[in-house]
Amino acid sequence: MPEIGESVPSSWSNEGRADSLTIPVPETKKQTISDWGEDSLILGIETSCDETSASVVKGGRKILSNIIVSQAELHGEYGGIVPEIAARKHVEALTPAIGDALLQADATFWDLDGVAATLGPGLIGSLLVGVAEAKAIAGVLDIPFVGVNHLEAHLYSNLLIDEEAKFPAVALIISGGHTMLVHAMGHGDYEILGTTIDDAAGEAFDKVARFLGLDYPGGPEIDRLSLLGDPEAIRFPRSMIDEPGFDVSYSGLKTSVINYVRKAEARGEPISIENIAASFQQAVVDIQVAKTMGAVLHAGVDRVFLCGGVAANSGLRQGLADACSSRMVKMFVPPMELCTDNAAMVAACGAEMLKRGRNTSLDAAPDPNLPLV
Ligand code: KG4
Ligand code: ZN
């Protein structure tokens, strides 16, 4: 970090875009809640897992920038996320990502009205990097800091893109770390209807893909292969699909895939990786569609928010869209870049919290198990 008076990149300065400028000593501006408006700029920071992301969002809705630096290739060598490597990579990538997010938004630090960062759940080392940097920025600029729940932030990826996406709704938050059905009644007013009792759906995609020798992350690989296969070729079990309640289980499905391949190999039978991918994906889609539509009926809502990394899955998007349209339920799903982890959703969620005066103390510590409710 240059000293006051030294030459700095233009994105750090509040005086135009020249290549070499002098850092002015900023006027600090302590925001009160009544100062918040449609022009308020929030810097969002997301470092809960293996994406380093920084974003500037205006008025809680308009994405001015959303820089996402994926570590997938790095962790791919190990077949899954290595927490220590993830945290170190965040240290390297976060400050440049913030600089790029400001530059792309044509904003400077001094234009910001608040800073939001993911406080949890996630990997503790990774969370610490984002939270520490967010607090430092908020402290130096004397603007509010807000710690955001990563799962709640995924909900906001829907609210960000469509004015029609409103509460109440049933949200399916489906990612590498979580799979849950939530009755979202209002901002911060959530009831968890069901969760996975073992593996998250994305985790099952990643584990099955790893077993099949596919690259990490496995979800997109299985999605790609499934387009070439027959989803009816192998009847994998749909655990818990007929049981009451909205919990799901993916451990048995994953084991069935492994057993199927091992038996076929033992008998010397050829296997079609495309058919396995398509049949596995169809089982996940059938389970999630059935449970989600059950939850919609239970909650008596007519909106579904699909969000989280697995919301990028083509089969799930189509399957849930078909089920919703046949029952006159409106489904919302974010564009691909807002499905997986990103800071725009963190900024949007943080903006809503700041508007409601829910600032977070600079003493708050990240929580790897932060609950949604
Ligand atoms: O939300 P996310 O980026 O990180 C967590 O909060 O976990 O989700 C990552 C997960 C990974 O398990 C990845 O394999 C899965 O989302 N994923 C997919 C697809 N794209 C990403 N799963 C199935 N189909 C996809 N197209
Ligand atoms: Zn996530």
Side-chain angles (χ1 to χ4, degrees):
M1 197 82 176
E3 298 291 327
I4 300 281
E6 271 185 14
S7 190
V8 295
S10 57
S11 63
W12 292 8
S13 167
N14 67 341
E15 285 186 7
R17 302 257 76 89
D19 278 344
S20 173
L21 290 167
T22 298
I23 292 184
V25 181
E27 291 265 312
T28 61
K29 43 173 184 178
K30 188 132 198 147
Q31 294 279 338
T32 62
I33 301 309
S34 59
D35 290 335
W36 289 91
E38 289 309 301
D39 290 335
S40 296
L41 291 190
I42 306 297
L43 173 68
I45 293 177
E46 158 62 35
T47 61
S48 67
C49 196
D50 64 341
E51 261 99 22
T52 313
S53 183
S55 163
V56 178
V57 169
K58 187 174 174 179
R61 281 234 180 220
K62 191 169 192 303
I63 303 174
L64 301 184
S65 60
N66 190 24
I67 307 294
I68 303 171
V69 185
S70 173
Q71 303 178 6
E73 213 171 296
L74 191 69
H75 297 286
E77 279 178 45
Y78 303 91
I81 297 168
V82 183
E84 184 63 24
I85 294 178
R88 286 187 203 171
K89 205 66 203 166
H90 286 309
V91 172
E92 272 175 43
L94 183 56
T95 302
I98 292 171
D100 288 350
L102 288 170
L103 196 62
Q104 219 177 80
D106 199 21
T108 71
F109 279 121
W110 331 127
D111 296 323
L112 298 174
D113 297 291
V115 188
T118 303
L119 200 62
L123 301 169
I124 185 63
S126 295
L127 290 167
L128 271 166
V129 178
V131 170
E133 186 137 351
K135 285 180 183 175
I137 293 168
V140 166
L141 298 178
D142 201 12
I143 56 176
F145 161 71
V146 62
V148 168
N149 184 298
H150 182 78
L151 302 173
E152 190 174 14
H154 270 303
L155 279 179
Y156 276 80
S157 62
N158 283 292
L159 301 176
L160 253 174
I161 41 120
D162 197 331
E163 297 267 332
E164 291 296 305
K166 289 182 190 140
F167 299 117
V170 159
L172 171 58
I173 307 174
I174 183 163
S175 70
H178 297 87
T179 299
M180 59 171 65
L181 276 163
V182 177
H183 182 192
M185 292 161 279
H187 298 281
D189 187 8
Y190 310 120
E191 181 194 3
I192 296 174
L193 301 175
T195 63
T196 176
I197 60 165
D198 39 53
D199 292 346
E203 190 182 352
F205 268 99
D206 293 339
K207 284 177 177 171
V208 165
R210 183 152 75 167
F211 176 75
L212 297 174
L214 303 173
D215 286 344
Y216 172 84
E221 289 294 294
I222 292 197
D223 197 0
R224 183 179 57 78
L225 285 172
S226 71
L227 297 175
L228 309 170
D230 175 6
E232 307 297 330
I234 310 151
R235 184 75 193 170
F236 290 125
R238 273 81 168 145
S239 316
M240 297 178 74
I241 196 167
D242 294 322
E243 286 182 26
F246 308 107
D247 286 346
V248 293
S249 163
Y250 285 115
S251 171
L253 174 59
K254 173 194 67 192
T255 308
S256 296
V257 176
I258 294 171
N259 289 343
Y260 171 86
V261 173
R262 290 211 172 118
K263 273 188 200 151
E265 281 174 349
R267 291 195 204 113
E269 291 167 5
I271 58 162
S272 158
I273 199 162
E274 291 84 1
N275 283 350
I276 295 170
S279 300
F280 163 76
Q281 181 168 300
Q282 192 58 50
V284 176
V285 172
D286 287 352
I287 294 167
Q288 286 304 157
V289 169
K291 292 293 181 186
T292 307
M293 297 322 291
V296 165
L297 212 62
H298 168 87
V301 298
D302 61 2
R303 289 188 199 90
V304 166
F305 297 166
L306 175 59
C307 51
V310 184
N313 185 266
S314 59
L316 183 59
R317 290 166 90 98
Q318 193 59 54
L320 199 54
D322 291 345
C324 284
S325 77
S326 69
R327 289 170 184 78
M328 309 294 279
V329 171
K330 187 133 173 48
M331 183 183 104
F332 298 89
V333 60
M336 293 296 186
E337 68 277 13
L338 296 182
C339 285
T340 42
D341 292 346
N342 66 87
M345 66 184 193
V346 175
C349 185
E352 192 57 44
M353 292 169 75
L354 288 171
K355 268 188 225 164
R356 288 159 190 264
R358 289 170 58 197
N359 302 19
T360 307
S361 155
L362 290 182
D363 293 335
D367 179 353
N369 302 309
L370 190 68
L372 177 66
V373 179

